[in-house]
Amino acid sequence: MKLIQLTAITAAVLASTAALAAEPVIVVDGNDAVVYEVEPVAVAYNADAGVLRNTTGAVVGGTKTFFQTVTHPAAISAEVGTLGYGANIAWGLNDKTEIQAGWAGGDVADLFGGDFDANDINYDVDSDFSNPYLGVQLRPMSNWFTVGAGIIVPDNDINVRANAEGEGYYSINGDKFYAGAAPDRVNDEDFGGQNVGALEGTIEHRNKLAPYATIGFRPNITNNFGLFGELGAAYMGKTNATINRVAGNPNPAADIVADQAEKDLEDKNWLEWMPIVKVGATYRF
């Protein structure tokens, strides 16, 4: 019965609407009668209303769910820079904001020159970087200019080896120690007569989570392809150094030299602020 009543009411409303569209409406105001023409109103249904398309809509307040956002990324990018070689994937939240998740790594020591000095000792560097990251990329002016921020989870292996100088010695606190046997100088007090062997070891940054910030540009070349470049820094924290002597004669001086080299490396704070310089290409869906 209720179904019949609802059907009848609906039919009556539709009939009234049609009648209003077809016939003029007479309104009596006091003693005057005024005739109004009622214009029909056409309503077009938009199936895409409220749906986020890449970065042109909004998840919050729209009909696109978080699951739909995750399963339909806005773009993928390939990159190369001081964090290594890598790629990232981005999800659009609105026309100015994207969330990025990516990874960069590999042997990038040559990007820093392949060596550095700590106190009076020069070290060769060999690295194996792994830097997964999660961040937000903003277009504050809705153009090619971007601002980024996020967190890196660094897992970077940095190996160092001390380079002996001159006649094969290291200078530590003004004293000179041999990296190998030197029988003709063993009694020379200027060189200490000490064979401490080769010095090599590792450097590890203390931060397990490294915040970063960047600025950059992302011009579009076509509707789908674009380029980008970014500059910034990540705070990796101070370093822990471990130096061991390889070969050489066992003597107290060798351990003293290794300990002092570790202190010099930690005081150096090598790449406490990791520079971020990267370029790449982007494909937008």
Side-chain angles (χ1 to χ4, degrees), residues 11 76 143 166 246:
I76 56 173
N143 58 12
V246 180

Side-chain angles (χ1 to χ4, degrees), residues 16-23 37-40:
S16 300
T17 302
L20 288 173
E23 299 294 335
E37 293 288 341
V38 179
E39 297 294 335

